[in-house]
Amino acid sequence: MCDSFSEKTAEGNNQGDAYVLSIEREQDMRKLELLAPAKDLACGMAAIDHGADAVYIGAQRFGARAAAGNSTADIARLCDYAHQFGARVYVTVNTIIYDDELADTQRLLEELAEAQADAILVQDMGLVSIYNSQFSIHNSQFSIHNSQFPILNSQFSIHNSQFTLHASTQTDNRTADKVRWLWQQGFSRVVLARELSIDEIAEIHRQVPDVELEVFVHGALCVSYSGLCYASQQCFGRSANRGACAQFCRMKFDLIDADGQVIEHSRHLLSLKDLNQSGNLERLAEAGATSFKIEGRLKDIGYVKNVTAAYSELLNQLVARHPDRYERASLGHCRYTFHPDLRKTFNRGYTTYFANGRQADIASFDTPKAMGEFVGTVKELRGPSFNVAGTASFANGDGLCFLNADRELEGFRVNRVEGNRLFPQKMPHNLHPGLRLYRNNDQQLERLLAKPSAERKIPVAMSLRATDDGFALTMGGVTVTMPAEHRQAEKPQRENIVRQLTKLGGTPFECATVDMAADFDYFIPSSHLSELRRRATEALLKSLCHRADTSSAPQQHDGDAAPPLYRVPYLYNVSNHLARQFYERQGVEVGDAFELRQPADDALLMQCRHCLRYSLGYCVRRGGQRPPWREPLSLVLGDGRRFRLAFDCKNCQMNIFES
């Protein structure tokens, strides 16, 4: 009979080519984190299954994607699932918050603490004020003291988890001074502006080496520095800083000079291609990036699966090239039923943006829609069908598209495929020989991704040995013991022991090896072996969930970094009294957020590193032609609304003002 169990931690081991779990890992290794988006619980779990080391997800309110909200119960389930693999869950609370919402925000934070979220992403400095000025830690609880805001006198029961603070990219993080200042306010991680070059990231890391740096590596690009875009609020009453962006930058504009001359007509002049840094991961790691972030909290589960798997494989290759320098931030390896391919996922065409400095081809002037992968050119039209010149294979139901003579994207569905001859559901009127075709919906891949398409397992080594009063099973660095009588076996037992111990289905683990002494010849009932395995599995899961919480509570750091100074008062995005007090304590005079008080005419609506002068070939400073127009230039919407462009050449920046 199995009367009692005891548990202890033991050192695991690495064997063979596969990584075998050990609770003790090298402390001087740099952990590389793949951070994937989650629209909902299903997407979050799929991201973990397909190789994410962490997931970021929105709560019911106060996330920068208002359409991607989730209950705290679902977030708790995601945390439980992720923590099995040592992976983490970050919750976006990165909108600006109004005074009458502070109480609800506080209740939300309490629920997220109970859910054991690992960090929150923050834009509003009112939340930073709460954390850094009004939290004290007693017996693993946050106790908040604020006589002016009674609801903050509650306590957070955080169990084995403590929030850390991550500075959202919405806080406009593009300089070492800003990153240092945020670190001094208690942020452990800063999400850098998408516009930074790899050299600029390296310089920030050199100057502020203690801060974790998170960088975007894939997905949609905002044309304005994040947090400093007010066009949607101004034009449509939908605030980007409140998670309700109307995508002003994806609209059509005329570009007109000071004399009324039309330079560009009806083009998507602010619409950028999608980011793809898959070829720059090693350079980003060398520059000091810790976390590699995939954009897409509004994307579907197929996108999450494919993109996460593609980048996870690339990070694994990076780790394999430098096993003495890097390791993944979570545990386990993945097996896929498909071949990850970034070309086959929603994209507007790809760019590395400013990774290697300024380049012209970063915008998608013709369309803001997804074109997908190039699959060939139209060769010949014949009745209800046409031939394609190229090497791509097609499937019934594929979605194809092309740019017509008016530079409009036209799409159609393939009804039937006969080799390289395609029969559309309806023959496109503008299709003609020579057109370049793109596939923006790959039916074969979609069918694979609609099913369970990955399995993630943590290889563990098992070791069974006899003790003075029973047996001990070590699994993945955790040992459980069982008092039992030593009974000599009448026939070989190894095969049955291995079979019973390795029945790990339904757990995150798979057995890599089972080690027993050569003279181990005891009979152990199968029920005892199953119980040993079950208890070892439970103990290991408990250890992994505890291990996932390696962060400490946020704390302020001494230093003299000055707070950011903006010449336009509303750029601080202050929308509540706690945020205002936060800046006042630092000697900064701030104005009301754009959303609270309508600025005067000629308001600054965007700050962009994307520059139309440069993209059109007329930046004299960078070798372009002298412009034939007279400035100022204006962008004009179809309804006649005008927006003045101002080129800040000193800072290599294009600013957009309401005319």
Side-chain angles (χ1 to χ4, degrees):
M1 289 289 293
C2 173
D3 298 319
S4 64
F5 284 79
S6 64
E7 302 167 5
K8 63 180 180 178
T9 300
E11 186 176 353
N13 57 72
N14 294 316
Q15 295 185 7
D17 295 329
Y19 174 76
V20 181
L21 171 65
S22 169
I23 294 298
E24 300 296 330
R25 301 175 74 185
E26 294 293 333
Q27 296 302 308
D28 57 350
M29 297 278 280
R30 279 193 55 204
K31 292 179 172 57
L32 303 181
E33 175 188 273
L34 178 60
L35 177 56
K39 177 173 65 175
D40 52 29
L41 173 63
C43 283
M45 294 176 72
I48 298 297
D49 288 342
H50 289 72
D53 300 296
V55 170
Y56 65 105
I57 188 169
Q60 289 171 312
R61 296 180 65 188
F62 313 121
R65 296 292 184 273
N70 295 274
S71 69
T72 49
D74 277 354
I75 291 172
R77 289 179 61 192
L78 180 57
C79 289
D80 288 343
Y81 190 74
H83 290 169
Q84 295 178 103
F85 299 96
R88 296 183 178 184
V89 176
Y90 309 140
V91 183
T92 57
V93 192
N94 59 338
T95 64
I96 60 173
I97 296 166
Y98 297 150
D99 270 317
D100 62 1
E101 296 171 332
L102 285 171
D104 287 342
T105 307
Q106 189 60 35
R107 280 188 285 269
L108 172 63
L109 296 184
E110 184 173 359
E111 292 174 4
L112 293 176
E114 290 289 341
Q116 300 202 29
D118 298 286
I120 58 171
L121 282 84
V122 172
Q123 175 187 15
D124 195 304
M125 292 299 151
L127 290 182
V128 181
S129 180
I130 291 171
Y131 266 85
N132 292 336
S133 299
Q134 296 151 356
F135 275 52
S136 58
I137 302 174
H138 301 292
N139 299 322
S140 296
Q141 289 186 332
F142 285 142
S143 179
I144 308 161
H145 311 283
N146 187 332
S147 60
Q148 296 179 352
F149 201 37
I151 193 167
L152 297 183
N153 292 323
S154 63
Q155 286 188 328
F156 282 171
S157 178
I158 61 171
H159 306 294
N160 290 322
S161 177
Q162 293 180 349
F163 278 134
T164 56
L165 288 175
H166 293 181
S168 168
T169 190
Q170 294 291 118
T171 55
D172 182 28
N173 311 316
R174 45 178 142 159
T175 67
D177 287 343
K178 180 66 174 288
V179 171
R180 182 182 295 106
W181 176 79
L182 287 165
W183 179 67
Q184 290 175 0
Q185 310 315 308
F187 287 98
S188 62
R189 177 181 294 187
V190 174
V191 187
L192 295 178
R194 294 169 173 88
E195 291 81 358
L196 296 182
S197 70
I198 295 175
D199 287 343
E200 288 170 321
I201 293 169
E203 181 59 20
I204 289 173
H205 177 64
R206 187 189 68 79
Q207 293 191 41
V208 199
D210 295 323
V211 183
E212 294 179 2
L213 299 180
E214 183 177 304
V215 298
F216 281 92
V217 294
H218 198 89
L221 289 166
C222 297
V223 73
S224 176
Y225 283 100
S226 294
L228 304 182
C229 180
Y230 308 97
S232 179
Q233 173 68 30
Q234 178 70 6
C235 296
F236 308 107
R238 292 173 53 180
S239 169
N241 284 318
R242 297 275 294 166
C245 177
Q247 295 200 311
F248 172 88
C249 59
R250 302 296 182 188
M251 302 180 78
K252 285 183 176 181
F253 298 93
D254 289 343
L255 181 63
I256 297 177
D257 71 5
D259 297 319
Q261 174 188 349
V262 178
I263 302 166
E264 294 285 342
H265 173 64
S266 193
R267 302 194 73 188
H268 302 274
L269 296 172
L270 299 180
S271 181
L272 301 179
K273 294 180 179 180
D274 285 359
L275 183 65
N276 184 335
Q277 300 282 29
S278 59
N280 286 326
L281 297 184
E282 185 162 351
R283 292 178 59 210
L284 287 166
E286 291 172 350
T290 295
S291 180
F292 304 89
K293 186 171 192 172
I294 300 166
E295 183 276 340
R297 279 199 296 123
L298 296 179
K299 295 294 197 299
D300 62 27
I301 195 168
Y303 175 95
V304 172
K305 288 180 174 183
N306 186 38
V307 177
T308 301
Y311 276 91
S312 184
E313 288 192 335
L314 290 171
L315 280 183
N316 286 342
Q317 293 167 18
L318 171 57
V319 169
R321 288 195 299 272
H322 304 284
D324 57 334
R325 294 173 58 189
Y326 303 123
E327 64 181 349
R328 294 294 295 273
S330 64
L331 302 169
H333 60 237
C334 303
R335 301 183 184 92
Y336 308 112
T337 65
F338 67 101
H339 176 67
D341 190 340
L342 296 174
R343 298 172 303 168
K344 296 180 180 293
T345 288
F346 180 101
N347 70 85
R348 301 174 176 91
Y350 284 132
T351 176
T352 57
Y353 208 26
F354 291 95
N356 301 306
R358 184 172 290 280
Q359 56 183 1
D361 190 25
I362 65 174
S364 179
F365 288 167
D366 291 325
T367 178
K369 299 178 181 178
M371 294 181 65
E373 61 173 328
F374 173 70
V375 290
T377 58
V378 178
K379 183 177 181 181
E380 174 196 19
L381 274 62
R382 186 188 304 168
S385 68
F386 64 94
N387 279 354
V388 178
T391 59
S393 59
F394 300 91
N396 296 345
D398 276 355
L400 303 182
C401 60
F402 61 92
L403 286 170
N404 63 27
D406 296 323
R407 294 188 298 201
E408 296 283 351
L409 192 68
E410 285 192 39
F412 61 94
R413 185 75 66 176
V414 176
N415 193 46
R416 191 169 87 253
V417 175
E418 295 180 1
N420 67 339
R421 178 165 292 279
L422 308 182
F423 294 78
Q425 203 167 38
K426 181 180 179 182
M427 195 72 169
H429 177 70
N430 291 311
L431 199 69
H432 61 78
L435 272 178
R436 292 172 62 85
L437 285 177
Y438 299 85
R439 176 163 46 200
N440 54 10
N441 187 282
D442 187 312
Q443 275 296 295
Q444 186 175 13
L445 179 63
E446 290 299 317
R447 281 194 289 267
L448 289 172
L449 294 179
K451 304 173 184 177
S453 50
E455 181 183 54
R456 180 168 179 168
K457 292 291 184 179
I458 303 172
V460 292
M462 289 183 169
S463 175
L464 182 65
R465 60 184 176 84
T467 63
D468 291 341
D469 61 349
F471 300 96
L473 175 64
T474 298
M475 175 177 169
V478 168
T479 298
V480 296
T481 61
M482 178 182 68
E485 178 186 358
H486 289 173
R487 295 169 55 187
Q488 294 297 122
E490 296 179 359
K491 57 183 180 179
Q493 294 294 304
R494 181 178 179 86
E495 183 177 336
N496 182 62
I497 290 173
V498 170
R499 182 168 59 250
Q500 296 301 325
L501 291 182
T502 58
K503 290 181 178 179
L504 295 172
T507 77
F509 309 113
E510 64 181 10
C511 182
T513 60
V514 178
D515 180 61
M516 288 179 285
D519 59 353
F520 190 96
D521 59 352
Y522 300 107
F523 170 78
I524 308 174
S526 294
S527 60
H528 288 191
L529 292 169
S530 297
E531 185 68 5
L532 267 172
R533 182 195 68 236
R534 184 186 68 80
R535 291 297 299 272
T537 301
E538 290 179 354
L540 184 54
L541 281 172
K542 183 178 178 181
S543 296
L544 289 178
C545 289
H546 178 73
R547 177 183 171 277
D549 173 42
T550 58
S551 56
S552 59
Q555 56 182 320
Q556 288 179 289
H557 304 279
D558 294 332
D560 57 358
L565 297 177
Y566 293 113
R567 65 177 181 84
V568 180
Y570 58 76
L571 297 185
Y572 292 94
N573 295 325
V574 170
S575 59
N576 61 71
H577 75 278
L578 292 180
R580 183 176 299 279
Q581 291 170 1
F582 174 90
Y583 281 111
E584 287 175 348
R585 285 194 298 269
Q586 303 206 29
V588 179
E589 184 176 346
V590 298
D592 287 333
F594 191 101
E595 290 79 359
L596 293 181
R597 182 174 300 184
Q598 187 73 26
D601 292 340
D602 202 33
L604 174 61
L605 300 182
M606 285 185 174
Q607 293 186 19
C608 312
R609 203 166 196 177
H610 167 52
C611 175
L612 284 172
R613 258 194 200 164
Y614 182 82
S615 292
L616 296 173
Y618 294 106
C619 176
V620 177
R621 287 193 171 199
R622 294 180 177 270
Q625 305 175 54
R626 184 172 297 279
W629 58 67
R630 190 168 68 88
E631 295 185 3
L633 302 182
S634 296
L635 294 172
V636 182
L637 281 172
D639 62 8
R641 282 181 287 184
R642 302 172 69 94
F643 306 91
R644 178 174 61 85
L645 303 183
F647 299 97
D648 178 1
C649 295
K650 178 181 178 182
N651 295 305
C652 208
Q653 181 171 296
M654 181 178 75
N655 297 327
I656 302 177
F657 294 83
E658 181 191 22
S659 293

